[in-house]
Amino acid sequence: MFKLTAKALACALSLSLAGIAQAADPIVIKFSHVVAENTPKGQGALMFKKLVEERLPGKVEVQVYPNSSLFGDGKEMEALLLGDVQLIAPSLAKFEHYSKGVQVFDLPFLFDDIAAVDRFQKSPEGLALLSSMKDKNITGLGYWHNGMKQLSANKPLRVPTDARGLKFRVQASQVLEEQFKAVRANPRKMSFAEVYQGLQTGVVNGAENPYSNIYSQKMHEVQDYITESNHGLLDYMLITNTQFWDGLPADVRTELESILQEVTVAVNQKADELNQADKQRILDAGTTEILTLTPEERAKWREAMKPVWKKFEGEIGADLIKAAQASNAQ
Ligand code: LMR
């Protein structure tokens, strides 16, 4: 009898010790992404980790996995839904299977500049897109800028006919596929980690990226020309698994949200500076000529690519496109 009680006591003690140990274990947030650390997204992830370590010590641990080292862009969304990673920030081009509305950000020549993008993202319509995937267990926590995309190739691209027949790498986005088809080029979907090699080996002849992605992936070393087209946007939605986020202790979630707000402001203030610095680094490297379009040349690209809007108006919604356009005229 005594023996049994002692055993029961020991068992109860070890269970409660395990409970204490468990309660003391930090919540782990894995943040996986596909770009280098010296990019707007890479810097944002590191800043988030630093602030969480300062403000939630012992409570939350952030592990950052850059450069597709944990999951590539084809797998990260699935990993988020399976709970293998808790935070990701895919480019807005990678949401078409989850929210048709988010495709609005891919429409070519929709936003005049990043300030217009910023206004739209902060508008009621832009903010609503953050919660448009709740039924799929995805919660949008904010938008992070990278910047406007530039066209690169191994031949000078001044007018749309220069792109005819060339193979361009595109992200997994039907809108972007149609954008290149509109200038009679051949789009090839390819994951981000494969782009450098694709360009180097000639599997593709060109691509579209902000300067920070071109420079940090050394794409300029395998592209002779960049056309400063600013024809489209590459920004991110920072997302989490809704069930995970809603299951966090309320005080922890509130602190994480306030840290994320701070990081978002910092990323969005710094992104353009980073892109301009990388443009200069590309110029300094001397590998690539950067072409500036005349207003007439740019108008030709716009005219050639704009029919893509109509193709996706039904899926995206005419009102949403109008709201995005309205952010320009201010
Ligand atoms: C791309 O695939 O080109 C981008 O989404 C990479 C990134 O995350 O900036």
Side-chain angles (χ1 to χ4, degrees), residues 34-35 41 73 89 91 94 146 169 171 192 209 213 234 236:
V34 301
V35 290
K41 179 161 61 176
D73 46 9
S91 121
K94 294 174 184 169
N146 186 333
R169 179 267 171 168
Q171 303 176 69
F192 188 64
N209 286 283
N213 279 1
L234 200 158
Y236 307 108

Side-chain angles (χ1 to χ4, degrees), residues 133-325:
M133 296 170 281
K134 279 248 160 107
D135 60 334
K136 301 189 174 73
N137 203 23
I138 296 171
T139 296
L141 297 166
Y143 291 107
W144 285 5
H145 294 324
N146 186 333
M148 303 305 279
K149 290 179 292 187
Q150 320 303 345
L151 291 167
S152 68
N154 280 327
K155 60 175 272 199
L157 303 176
R158 289 200 175 276
V159 288
T161 46
D162 295 333
R164 260 185 208 171
L166 292 187
K167 289 171 277 178
F168 282 89
R169 179 267 171 168
V170 286
Q171 303 176 69
S173 153
Q174 283 182 40
V175 177
L176 298 180
E177 279 189 306
E178 290 301 323
Q179 169 196 274
F180 281 108
K181 284 186 189 163
V183 294
R184 299 212 224 150
N186 302 316
R188 290 273 174 96
K189 287 184 185 167
M190 192 179 269
S191 73
F192 188 64
E194 291 171 344
V195 183
Y196 176 86
Q197 213 187 351
L199 290 168
Q200 190 186 34
T201 56
V203 171
V204 283
N205 316 112
E208 50 166 5
N209 286 283
Y211 285 115
S212 64
N213 279 1
I214 298 176
Y215 182 74
S216 58
Q217 297 298 316
K218 299 185 170 42
M219 291 180 206
H220 59 294
E221 293 178 2
V222 287
Q223 293 279 262
D224 295 336
Y225 297 93
I226 294 173
T227 300
E228 190 160 276
S229 49
N230 290 311
H231 63 283
L233 172 73
L234 200 158
D235 263 17
Y236 307 108
M237 193 190 289
L238 185 69
I239 54 172
T240 187
N241 178 308
T242 307
Q243 223 177 343
F244 164 76
W245 201 252
D246 291 352
L248 288 171
D251 58 330
V252 169
R253 190 172 54 243
T254 305
E255 187 59 39
L256 287 172
E257 281 167 358
S258 106
I259 291 171
L260 280 175
Q261 263 183 23
E262 201 174 318
V263 177
T264 297
V265 170
V267 169
N268 291 348
Q269 269 172 2
K270 274 279 203 194
D272 191 48
E273 211 177 286
L274 269 174
N275 274 295
Q276 292 313 313
D278 283 342
K279 174 183 175 182
Q280 190 54 50
R281 289 186 184 103
I282 293 168
L283 286 169
D284 293 346
T287 51
T288 315
E289 189 178 339
I290 298 185
L291 308 170
T292 313
L293 297 175
T294 64
E296 294 74 28
E297 286 167 341
R298 192 160 185 274
K300 285 187 181 157
W301 287 96
R302 185 185 162 87
E303 196 184 316
M305 288 179 165
K306 206 177 156 201
V308 172
W309 296 20
K310 262 272 164 275
K311 287 201 171 160
F312 290 89
E313 193 183 274
E315 284 182 21
I316 295 172
D319 288 350
L320 194 54
I321 298 176
K322 255 201 203 120
Q325 259 187 302

